[in-house]
Amino acid sequence: MSDRSGIFAGEDPFVIAQAWLSEAEESEINDPNAIALASVDAEGLPNVRMVLLKEIEAQSAPSGGAFVFYTNYTSAKGVEIEQAGKAAFVMHWKSLRRQIRVRGLTSREEGSQADEYYASRSLKSRLGAWASHQSQPLSSRTALMAEVAKVTAAHGTNPKRPPFWGGIRITPLEIEFWADGAFRLHDRFRWRRPDPHSAWEILRLNP
């Protein structure tokens, strides 16, 4: 039995994650929802980049609890995640001296949830999603802006969500909550489950 209390207390890791994120929103200078997202290519070579986490789904959701971000499915990360069906990320907050590590299974979110998020973005960001052939070679910024002008003329002021752009849901099999401790004696609690609808095993880990 673990000795969780304080910031680690609770029986739903997604509630804890949301509480930590809400706290970080009050203290981080920029992008408290930034995550370092890791994937692997077809040869197994790791890849990592920063993206913005947009949703934390409750454990009671059909997904069994998940983390959602949005991207171009034809991008390097989109292709790699589609091939592997798995991904990992870490959220780190310097102001709180805490981090959350997640490893899990992936699936697309291409329905009304993705449509609603896309519609909430600024018009320029929505058009940018159409214009950018993400991760592909680009001859110049001038060429990119010409493509923006082209899609603006084609799609107008109320563009629909591109079919190649949407959400990726990471349904975790493992979540670790980490908080800085004196003399590098950090607190770490790992939540692990064999599948998205099984009970969690919670263990305290050595720092």
Side-chain angles (χ1 to χ4, degrees):
M1 181 179 294
S2 63
D3 55 337
R4 293 180 300 116
S5 61
I7 60 173
F8 295 99
E11 301 307 315
D12 184 333
F14 302 99
V15 171
I16 299 172
Q18 184 62 66
W20 285 26
L21 176 56
S22 296
E23 192 174 346
E25 288 171 349
E26 301 299 320
S27 59
E28 286 291 297
I29 296 174
N30 292 306
D31 299 329
N33 59 328
I35 62 176
L37 174 72
S39 58
V40 294
D41 66 15
E43 284 71 47
L45 188 65
N47 220 338
V48 67
R49 76 289 285 164
M50 302 302 297
V51 302
L52 297 180
L53 180 71
K54 289 300 180 179
E55 292 150 25
I56 299 178
E57 296 180 344
Q59 191 157 264
S60 59
S63 62
F67 300 87
V68 183
F69 68 95
Y70 293 85
T71 191
N72 184 317
Y73 293 137
T74 66
S75 66
K77 61 181 172 294
V79 171
E80 290 172 1
I81 289 173
E82 182 75 15
Q83 290 175 343
K86 302 170 185 174
F89 73 80
V90 61
M91 284 181 105
H92 175 244
W93 302 292
K94 288 184 177 181
S95 61
L96 299 181
R97 294 182 177 271
R98 296 181 211 165
Q99 66 180 0
I100 299 174
R101 296 174 57 236
V102 171
R103 304 168 71 207
L105 309 176
T106 59
S107 60
R108 290 187 179 188
E109 170 48 59
E110 302 178 276
S112 59
Q113 188 171 329
D115 292 338
E116 289 173 13
Y117 171 68
Y118 179 77
S120 75
R121 291 160 60 95
S122 71
L123 175 59
K124 289 184 178 180
S125 292
R126 282 178 281 157
L127 291 168
W130 277 102
S132 175
H133 302 284
Q134 198 172 98
S135 302
Q136 299 304 309
L138 177 65
S139 61
S140 66
R141 186 165 186 86
T142 300
L144 176 61
M145 299 315 294
E147 187 65 20
V148 171
K150 179 180 175 181
V151 300
T152 299
H155 297 284
T157 59
N158 189 27
K160 293 184 178 180
R161 179 177 60 85
F164 52 81
W165 190 99
I168 292 180
R169 176 179 288 105
I170 302 176
T171 302
L173 301 181
E174 186 175 304
I175 306 175
E176 181 187 316
F177 296 91
W178 179 102
D180 181 65
F183 311 110
R184 300 189 183 276
L185 299 177
H186 313 305
D187 289 306
R188 298 174 62 189
F189 289 93
R190 184 186 67 201
W191 298 58
R192 180 182 282 175
R193 57 186 179 178
D195 63 74
H197 298 286
S198 292
W200 292 99
E201 175 194 41
I202 309 169
L203 292 176
R204 175 185 276 272
L205 303 179
N206 271 279

